[in-house]
């Protein structure tokens, strides 16, 4: 399929018809970042929240030097919590370590759980060990999705010292929590991880058991079997 000419996409992004604008934004998928970002910026303030969300996500994928500042500004200042959450998530895709402080502040200070969830996930994506204390704190959140995000992120940053904090979730009533735990332990090579993963291979939920088997295999193949 031929990608429409940039000028055609640019014009379509100004169409009064939302579907036209969405198609135009989707057509930027195969356009180089330096050409795509100026066009993505045209719809960052669109009246459609769905289109804005797509545009913010695109800035995490089409990476140029200005994407970082744009996403930071949205995360810090946008009045819509959904857009702030999207910006937090896109910063994780962007992978710019400079985002650590802003994501940490969003986790501590934003009033909406979805923003805090996205910030926690992205802190894991950045793989910055400084996120450890934030994520350990998130394990005690009353929001289960924040616990999920923290469990996954601690595995992403490969914080082996967090294993003792994580193991209490092996008995969680929520199978998604147990699955996240199994996935995380597969990145944390300790004797306790191995023991917990072997236990989780016998879990009553097939997704949990499979995640545990994959985690064990990962540790074995990387030579990290303890």
């Amino acid at each position: 399929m031929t990608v429409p000419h940039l000028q055609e996409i640019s014009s379509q992004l100004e169409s009064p018809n939302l579907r036209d604008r969405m198609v135009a934004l989707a057509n930027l998928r195969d356009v180089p970042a330096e050409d795509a970002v100026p066009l993505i910026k045209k719809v960052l303030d669109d009246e459609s929240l769905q289109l804005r969300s797509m545009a913010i996500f695109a800035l995490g994928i089409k990476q140029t030097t200005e994407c970082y500042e744009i996403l930071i500004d949205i995360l810090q200042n946008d009045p819509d919590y959904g857009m702030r959450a999207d910006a937090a998530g896109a910063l994780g895709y962007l992978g710019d370590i400079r985002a650590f402080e802003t994501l940490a502040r969003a986790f501590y200070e934003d009033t909406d759980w979805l923003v805090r969830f996205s910030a926690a996930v992205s802190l894991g994506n950045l793989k910055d060990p400084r996120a450890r204390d934030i994520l350990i704190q998130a394990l005690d959140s009353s929001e289960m999705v924040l616990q999920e995000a923290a469990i996954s992120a601690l595995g992403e940053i490969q914080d082996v010292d967090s294993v003792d904090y994580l193991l209490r979730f092996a008995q969680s009533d929520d199978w998604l929590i147990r699955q996240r735990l199994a996935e995380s332990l597969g990145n944390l090579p300790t004797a306790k991880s191995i023991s917990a993963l072997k236990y989780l291979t016998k879990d009553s939920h097939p997704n949990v058991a499979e995640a545990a088997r994959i985690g064990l295999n990962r540790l074995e193949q990387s030579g990290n079997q303890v």
Side-chain angles (χ1 to χ4, degrees), residues 17 20 25 29 35 61 67 76 82-83 92 101 109 113 128 133 135 141 147 154 170 176 182-183 186 197 222-223:
N17 185 299
D20 288 344
L25 189 61
R29 186 180 299 110
D35 294 323
I61 306 300
C67 291
Q76 290 179 327
M83 301 305 103
E101 287 82 5
E109 298 178 2
W113 70 265
D128 189 322
D133 291 346
L135 298 172
S141 171
Q147 292 179 335
L154 284 165
L176 270 173
E183 293 165 351
L197 284 169
S222 64

Side-chain angles (χ1 to χ4, degrees), residues 7-68:
Q7 185 56 51
E8 180 184 338
I9 295 177
S10 180
S11 298
Q12 201 173 8
L13 286 170
E14 297 172 3
S15 168
N17 185 299
L18 174 59
R19 185 180 179 281
D20 288 344
R21 301 197 302 278
M22 294 182 73
V23 168
L25 189 61
N27 280 333
L28 291 172
R29 186 180 299 110
D30 299 316
V31 173
E34 61 271 18
D35 294 323
V37 168
L39 297 179
I40 294 169
K41 288 164 62 179
K42 295 181 69 167
V43 291
L44 282 175
D45 294 316
D46 197 89
E47 61 186 27
S48 165
L49 291 179
Q50 184 180 4
L51 188 63
R52 288 190 67 207
S53 177
M54 289 172 59
I56 291 168
F57 176 77
L59 289 178
I61 306 300
K62 299 291 185 183
Q63 302 178 3
T64 70
T65 54
E66 62 180 329
C67 291
Y68 170 78

Side-chain angles (χ1 to χ4, degrees), residues 1-218:
M1 179 179 173
T2 303
V3 177
H5 188 274
L6 289 177
Q7 185 56 51
E8 180 184 338
I9 295 177
S10 180
S11 298
Q12 201 173 8
L13 286 170
E14 297 172 3
S15 168
N17 185 299
L18 174 59
R19 185 180 179 281
D20 288 344
R21 301 197 302 278
M22 294 182 73
V23 168
L25 189 61
N27 280 333
L28 291 172
R29 186 180 299 110
D30 299 316
V31 173
E34 61 271 18
D35 294 323
V37 168
L39 297 179
I40 294 169
K41 288 164 62 179
K42 295 181 69 167
V43 291
L44 282 175
D45 294 316
D46 197 89
E47 61 186 27
S48 165
L49 291 179
Q50 184 180 4
L51 188 63
R52 288 190 67 207
S53 177
M54 289 172 59
I56 291 168
F57 176 77
L59 289 178
I61 306 300
K62 299 291 185 183
Q63 302 178 3
T64 70
T65 54
E66 62 180 329
C67 291
Y68 170 78
E69 295 294 347
I70 295 171
L71 291 171
I72 290 291
D73 180 64
I74 295 171
L75 175 55
Q76 290 179 327
N77 300 310
D78 200 285
D80 187 278
Y81 73 88
M83 301 305 103
R84 297 197 305 277
D86 287 335
L91 283 165
Y93 279 101
L94 201 63
D96 192 320
I97 204 69
R98 292 178 297 166
F100 174 82
E101 287 82 5
T102 305
L103 287 169
R105 195 175 308 117
F107 176 81
Y108 282 124
E109 298 178 2
D110 203 283
T111 55
D112 193 273
W113 70 265
L114 184 60
V115 181
R116 300 180 73 215
F117 169 80
S118 293
V121 171
S122 287
L123 285 169
N125 291 339
L126 291 182
K127 294 180 168 53
D128 189 322
R130 291 178 295 169
R132 179 185 190 274
D133 291 346
I134 298 169
L135 298 172
I136 293 293
Q137 175 187 325
L139 293 176
D140 292 324
S141 171
S142 59
E143 297 283 356
M144 198 167 289
V145 290
L146 282 179
Q147 292 179 335
E148 281 185 43
I151 291 167
S152 296
L154 284 165
E156 290 285 344
I157 68 173
Q158 300 184 328
D159 184 68
V160 294
D161 292 333
S162 67
V163 170
D164 284 340
Y165 293 93
L166 293 171
L167 291 182
R168 61 187 164 108
F169 293 101
Q171 305 288 345
S172 173
D173 293 334
D174 189 296
W175 69 267
L176 270 173
I177 289 279
R178 302 196 306 275
Q179 180 180 342
R180 295 290 175 266
L181 173 63
E183 293 165 351
S184 186
L185 291 174
N187 292 318
L188 302 171
T190 73
K192 289 180 178 179
S193 300
I194 297 295
S195 178
L197 284 169
K198 287 179 177 176
Y199 170 78
L200 289 168
T201 60
K202 302 177 180 67
D203 195 274
S204 59
H205 197 287
N207 289 24
V208 179
E210 178 64 16
R213 284 191 290 271
I214 292 170
L216 276 173
N217 288 337
R218 181 184 301 124

Side-chain angles (χ1 to χ4, degrees), residues 186 189 215-225:
L216 276 173
N217 288 337
R218 181 184 301 124
L219 292 182
E220 290 168 354
Q221 291 171 8
S222 64
N224 285 327
Q225 181 87 345

